[in-house]
């Protein structure tokens, strides 16, 4: 899993030749960290087994799993050769995925306490507190860095260190099925890195939030598919059941939208990869690394990817023209369909309506300006595939607008264009309204 991308956790914003004043480029390791979380082990297996039941893609005819007695938990013992066990998993995943071996160092085993010491330094949100508050996703007393640390420290089971070219597995109980399946997932990331140059792909999309999340959908969908297929072929039915029944860590205080964003690359990504496989096997999946998905719309609707339907380039709203050039550029980026659906749900639209309202997305540009006194203004220009899509979104937003704890307005610009304006005060909203003709 990549906690940077799943939660938009990349810190470099290079839009319109400008780096956000409130952000700095993150370290190479932080930008390319890959990890597996407790929650997503069960979610990934359940999602992909669901695809298996429908006969989609590589999940239609998995290797049967023999029903055997539940084995005793494996615990570290002086005679247990962990390196040999991990080496066997590597060979199995290579054969499954059909990619050449990756030159990786020996895995590092961390306890959860040791992970708690190193992980916080790797978590650098791409959308800062100001942007998330302007979107209505964070309260004034919430901090995205603290919430992200809370979410991940209790869940991460492992990650692939792209810089050191090695896997890190987190376990307090030795070589458990969870540790094995984690290793299968992370070794798939190592194979991706060696075969397709993950660094170059990440650099290509850096700062483009929608494309970053779309790339993660491909990478994590691929790794999730391989992980689950490996598990189906090499774990017993009881071991699989045990993983899917893994207790979810306490996420008290974590906003639901963060969990939804965490899920996206794995669940939607696995469905995307399944459709690619159905169109041409693993070769079609491999080819996607040479022709990356251009948007989360293409991940959510694979036919749009197969048809080569590009997102529409949209001009941002120049908030600084009216608020003042001294206001910080908190965000100036494209968020995309996946983020938009999660945002709508986060501000109070029910999930089915949120997904339907975002489904007609054609392109967008979000700009957020913040002042040192805590004031902020948001302008979001959205282009739709058809007039009906604009109407559906505007109705969904209008249904929750009165309940928002800040000044807000949705403006119907044309049949296929909508502008959302939000501000920290009604007076500021009136100041920026002329920018949208409102």
């Amino acid at each position: 899993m990549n906690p940077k991308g799943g939660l938009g956790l990349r810190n470099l914003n290079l839009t319109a030749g400008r780096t956000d004043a409130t952000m700095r480029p993150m370290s190479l390791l932080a930008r390319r960290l890959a990890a597996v979380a407790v929650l997503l082990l069960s979610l990934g297996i359940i999602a992909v087994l669901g695809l298996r039941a429908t006969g989609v893609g590589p999940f239609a005819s998995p290797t049967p799993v023999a029903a055997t007695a539940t084995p005793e938990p494996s615990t570290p013992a002086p005679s247990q050769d962990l390196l040999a066990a991990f080496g066997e998993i590597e060979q199995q995943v290579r054969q499954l995925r059909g990619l050449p071996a990756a030159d990786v160092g020996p895995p590092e085993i961390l306890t959860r306490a040791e992970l708690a010491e190193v992980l916080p330094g790797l978590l650098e949100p791409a959308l800062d507190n100001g942007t998330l508050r302007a979107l209505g996703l964070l309260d004034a007393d919430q901090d995205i860095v603290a919430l992200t640390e809370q979410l991940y420290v209790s869940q991460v089971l492992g990650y692939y260190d792209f810089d050191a070219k090695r896997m890190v597995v987190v376990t307090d109980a030795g070589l458990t099925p969870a540790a094995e399946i984690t290793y299968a997932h992370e070794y798939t990331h190592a194979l991706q890195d060696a075969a397709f140059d993950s660094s170059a792909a990440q650099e290509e999309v850096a700062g483009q939030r929608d494309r970053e999340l779309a790339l993660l959908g491909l990478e994590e969908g691929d790794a999730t598919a391989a992980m689950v297929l490996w598990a189906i072929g090499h774990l017993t039915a009881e071991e699989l059941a045990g993983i899917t029944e893994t207790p979810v860590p306490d996420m008290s205080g974590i906003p639901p939208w963060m969990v939804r964003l965490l899920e996206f690359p794995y669940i939607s990504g696995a469905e995307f990869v399944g459709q690619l496989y159905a169109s041409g096997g693993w070769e079609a999946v491999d080819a996607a690394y040479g022709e990356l998905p251009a948007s989360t719309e293409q991940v959510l609707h694979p036919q749009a990817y197969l048809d080569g339907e590009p997102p529409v380039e949209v001009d941002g709203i120049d908030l600084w023209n009216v608020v003042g050039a001294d206001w910080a550029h908190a965000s100036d980026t494209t968020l995309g369909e996946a983020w938009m659906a999660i945002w709508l749900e986060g501000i109070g639209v029910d999930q089915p309506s949120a997904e339907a309202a975002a489904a007609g997305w054609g392109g967008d540009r979000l700009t957020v300006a913040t002042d040192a006194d805590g004031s902020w203004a948001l302008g979001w220009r959205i282009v739709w595939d058809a007039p009906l899509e604009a109407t559906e979104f505007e109705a969904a937003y209008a249904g929750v607008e009165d309940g928002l704890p800040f000044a807000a307005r949705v403006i119907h610009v044309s049949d296929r264009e909508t502008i959302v304006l939000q501000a920290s005060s009604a007076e500021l909203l009136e100041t920026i309204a002329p920018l949208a003709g409102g």
Side-chain angles (χ1 to χ4, degrees), residues 134-154:
L135 285 165
L137 296 177
L138 281 187
D139 295 334
D141 61 347
Q142 291 178 309
D143 176 70
I144 187 58
V145 174
L147 288 170
T148 301
E149 180 177 334
Q150 178 187 345
L151 177 62
Y152 276 97
V153 166
S154 64

Side-chain angles (χ1 to χ4, degrees), residues 333-400:
T333 192
T334 297
L335 286 190
E337 180 179 337
W339 250 112
M340 182 171 292
I342 292 166
W343 163 70
L344 284 169
E345 188 178 354
I347 62 172
V349 179
D350 65 87
Q351 183 177 340
S353 298
E355 292 176 353
W361 179 92
D364 77 80
R365 195 72 181 179
L366 172 78
T367 53
V368 177
T370 57
D371 195 17
D373 66 0
S375 300
W376 54 263
L378 174 150
W380 199 350
R381 191 189 306 273
I382 309 163
V383 173
W384 304 99
D385 291 336
L388 180 62
E389 315 289 1
T391 301
E392 187 169 15
F393 169 85
E394 290 162 9
Y397 184 86
V400 298

Side-chain angles (χ1 to χ4, degrees), residues 45-55:
I45 290 176
I46 292 168
V48 180
L49 288 180
L51 288 175
R52 169 189 170 189
T54 64

Side-chain angles (χ1 to χ4, degrees), residues 65-71 177 235-245:
V65 178
T68 61
T70 303
L235 297 180
T236 68
E238 288 78 9
E239 287 172 323
L240 282 171
I243 292 174
T244 61
E245 295 169 0

Side-chain angles (χ1 to χ4, degrees), residues 150-344:
Q150 178 187 345
L151 177 62
Y152 276 97
V153 166
S154 64
Q155 290 204 47
V156 170
L157 295 178
Y159 59 88
Y160 173 57
D161 183 338
F162 283 81
D163 296 317
K165 306 298 182 187
R166 65 174 181 175
M167 268 67 63
V168 177
V169 177
V170 180
T171 177
D172 291 320
L175 194 59
T176 63
E180 292 177 309
I181 195 172
T182 297
Y183 198 80
H185 184 108
E186 298 312 331
Y187 188 67
T188 305
H189 283 309
L191 295 179
Q192 294 168 355
D193 188 26
F196 309 118
D197 193 352
S198 298
S199 176
Q202 300 287 2
E203 294 294 342
E204 180 181 337
V205 305
Q208 304 172 67
R209 303 301 177 226
D210 188 37
R211 291 194 66 196
E212 288 176 336
L213 194 53
L215 172 59
L216 279 165
L218 170 61
E219 293 175 334
E220 299 297 353
D222 181 358
T224 298
M227 171 188 80
V228 174
L229 288 174
W230 178 87
I232 291 172
H234 298 282
L235 297 180
T236 68
E238 288 78 9
E239 287 172 323
L240 282 171
I243 292 174
T244 61
E245 295 169 0
T246 301
V248 176
D250 180 19
M251 292 188 289
S252 302
I254 299 294
W257 68 264
M258 290 184 67
V259 179
R260 294 274 291 121
L261 194 58
L262 178 66
E263 295 172 4
F264 172 81
Y266 304 86
I267 306 306
S268 297
E271 294 171 354
F272 175 67
V273 167
Q275 292 293 336
L276 292 182
Y277 187 96
S279 73
W282 284 118
E283 289 184 0
V285 178
D286 294 346
Y289 289 94
E291 190 69 36
L292 298 176
S295 65
T296 53
E297 177 189 39
Q298 291 188 348
V299 174
L300 288 164
H301 312 284
Q303 194 59 47
Y305 174 80
L306 296 174
D307 292 343
E309 178 184 332
V312 177
E313 293 189 14
V314 179
D315 293 330
I317 297 171
D318 189 0
L319 297 168
W320 299 270
N321 188 46
V322 295
V323 300
D326 57 329
W327 282 45
H329 293 257
S331 283
D332 184 354
T333 192
T334 297
L335 286 190
E337 180 179 337
W339 250 112
M340 182 171 292
I342 292 166
W343 163 70
L344 284 169

